Amino acid sequence: MKITQYQPYFGITAKQLSDSDFERLTTYFQLLDKVEKPVVSLLVPIYRAKETLLGHIYSLSKLKTIIPYELIFVENNADDESLRILQELGAKVVSQPQQGITHARQKGLDEARGKIICSMDPDTIYDPYYIDKMVLPFFKDKDLVLCYSVSKSYENDFQLSTKMKIRNRLKVAYFRWKISKGFIHKIKHIRAVGMAIKKEAIDGIGYDTDLRAVSGCDDGMLAIHLYNKGTFKYVPIDIYTALPPKREPGRPFPFCNQRFYDFDKPIRETYRELEIADSTH
C-alpha cells in the first residue's frame, strides 16, 4: 500500500472530486446501506477531520473482503466541512453531542450491529485487506477477544519522506518490542486506531467516559478490561495515521477528554465565593 497515492484527496471537498471518484464513493455507501446483517462494524468518530476525511474514506472503499460489514461515522460536534463531506457522499452518520472521544466511541458501540467491532480514526489510511486480517482470526480462535496492530505515520498531505520511512521502521520495531515485554507494556501501547474487538466481550464493559489523563486512554483502559475476558493477537498490517500533536516537555499527551475539562472553573468559583475579582483572565 502506498500512502502517497492519497495525496490528491488531502484537504479537498466532495465537490472537488472527479466525477469517477464521486460516483465510486457514493456507490460505495449505497452498497453499504444494503447490508442487512453485518458481521463487522467499522466505527469512526468525527470531530475535526476535513483535511484527511476523503483520503480515509477512499481507503475504506478499497477494502477487499467477502465479510459483510457496516460503516458508522459518529459525529461528535464535528466541523461543518466534515459533515458536508459525509452528507454529500451518503454516509451513515450518528450524533453524540456529549464531547469527548470516549463518548463518541461508546455511541458507535451502542449503534453497532456486527459481531466484531473495528475501532478506526478519520485521519488514518487502512490496508485493503484490513478487515480480513483483523477479523478472520476471531473465527479460528474462540478465546480471542482483541486483534491489534501498530500504525505508521505520514507527514502533511499524505507525504512520506525518506526520514519518515526510517522513523516508521524504528517505530514499528520499538512498539513490537514493547508489546512483547508483557502485560503492562502491551496494555500501554495498544492504540484504538488499529483495534478489532469481539462485541460480546466488550458488551457490559464499554468505554470509560470519565477518563481525563490516563496513559493509553480509552484504548488502554478498554484493553485492561478485555485482558480478563480472553486472549489478544498482534496482527502485522499497514496502517498510516497522522503524526501525533507536539507535547510540552515533561508532560504527557493530552489523552482522552482532558482538553474538554475546565480546569480554571474551581478557581473562578473560589474567587466568587470570596468576592475577590477573578484574576485568572
Side-chain angles (χ1 to χ4, degrees):
M1 181 180 72
K2 293 184 178 180
I3 184 67
T4 52
Q5 73 185 35
Y6 293 94
Q7 288 180 357
Y9 306 102
F10 186 87
I12 68 171
T13 65
K15 291 183 178 180
Q16 292 174 299
L17 288 167
S18 66
D19 290 342
S20 59
D21 281 342
F22 185 82
E23 183 179 2
R24 175 195 179 94
L25 296 183
T26 53
T27 301
Y28 171 63
F29 285 114
Q30 289 169 8
L31 292 173
L32 286 177
D33 283 341
K34 297 183 182 298
V35 178
E36 296 181 355
K37 296 181 180 180
V39 174
V40 180
S41 296
L42 310 184
L43 308 180
V44 187
I46 300 291
Y47 178 58
R48 299 288 182 266
K50 61 181 181 179
E51 291 186 330
T52 61
L53 184 54
L54 273 173
H56 166 75
I57 293 173
Y58 200 86
S59 77
L60 298 184
S61 75
K62 298 177 71 174
L63 289 170
K64 302 178 185 297
T65 182
I66 63 170
I67 302 174
Y69 67 92
E70 64 178 348
L71 172 56
I72 302 174
F73 292 93
V74 183
E75 73 93 1
N76 194 209
N77 302 307
D79 58 281
D80 292 339
E81 291 85 351
S82 297
L83 291 177
R84 192 173 297 113
I85 289 172
L86 296 173
Q87 181 181 18
E88 291 176 353
L89 294 180
K92 179 178 179 179
V93 181
V94 298
S95 296
Q96 171 51 277
Q98 192 165 3
Q99 190 68 64
I101 186 63
T102 50
H103 294 290
R105 294 201 191 282
Q106 181 60 46
K107 178 64 175 179
L109 180 60
D110 294 339
E111 296 285 335
R113 295 178 292 158
K115 295 180 180 179
I116 307 298
I117 305 297
C118 285
S119 177
M120 295 180 154
D121 284 343
D123 62 353
T124 304
I125 303 298
Y126 292 88
D127 185 278
Y129 295 97
Y130 184 80
I131 290 180
D132 280 1
K133 291 186 176 181
M134 295 292 282
V135 172
L136 288 178
F138 289 96
F139 297 95
K140 183 179 179 180
D141 182 357
K142 65 178 182 179
D143 295 323
L144 191 63
V145 295
L146 172 68
C147 283
Y148 62 98
S149 192
V150 176
S151 66
K152 301 174 185 177
S153 300
Y154 62 79
E155 295 155 299
N156 191 39
D157 197 18
F158 297 125
Q159 297 180 38
L160 199 64
S161 65
T162 300
K163 181 179 179 181
M164 183 59 66
K165 291 178 182 178
I166 296 173
R167 180 186 184 277
N168 282 335
R169 292 194 191 100
L170 294 174
K171 175 186 177 182
V172 172
Y174 172 77
F175 271 74
R176 292 189 67 172
W177 172 70
K178 279 289 189 180
I179 288 169
S180 70
K181 301 299 287 184
F183 170 76
I184 294 177
H185 291 284
K186 182 182 294 185
I187 293 299
K188 289 177 65 177
H189 292 92
I190 288 176
R191 297 288 181 262
V193 67
M195 295 175 70
I197 308 162
K198 182 182 291 185
K199 193 172 189 294
E200 67 179 30
I202 193 176
D203 282 342
I205 298 175
Y207 289 93
D208 291 316
T209 55
D210 60 344
L211 296 176
R212 190 178 72 186
V214 179
S215 180
C217 188
D218 56 310
D219 0 335
M221 291 303 297
L222 183 59
I224 289 175
H225 295 306
L226 290 171
Y227 202 83
N228 295 318
K229 295 281 188 175
T231 59
F232 290 9
K233 179 181 177 61
Y234 171 78
V235 179
I237 191 170
D238 282 339
I239 307 172
Y240 286 90
T241 193
L243 285 169
K246 293 182 179 180
R247 57 176 173 174
E248 298 177 26
R251 291 196 64 187
F253 287 113
F255 290 112
C256 292
N257 303 318
Q258 182 182 18
R259 61 191 172 122
F260 303 115
Y261 278 72
D262 186 356
F263 291 104
D264 290 334
K265 184 177 179 181
I267 299 176
R268 291 197 297 271
E269 289 178 347
T270 300
Y271 277 125
R272 283 195 294 270
E273 290 177 2
L274 295 175
E275 296 183 354
I276 299 175
D278 187 344
S279 62
T280 59
H281 295 284

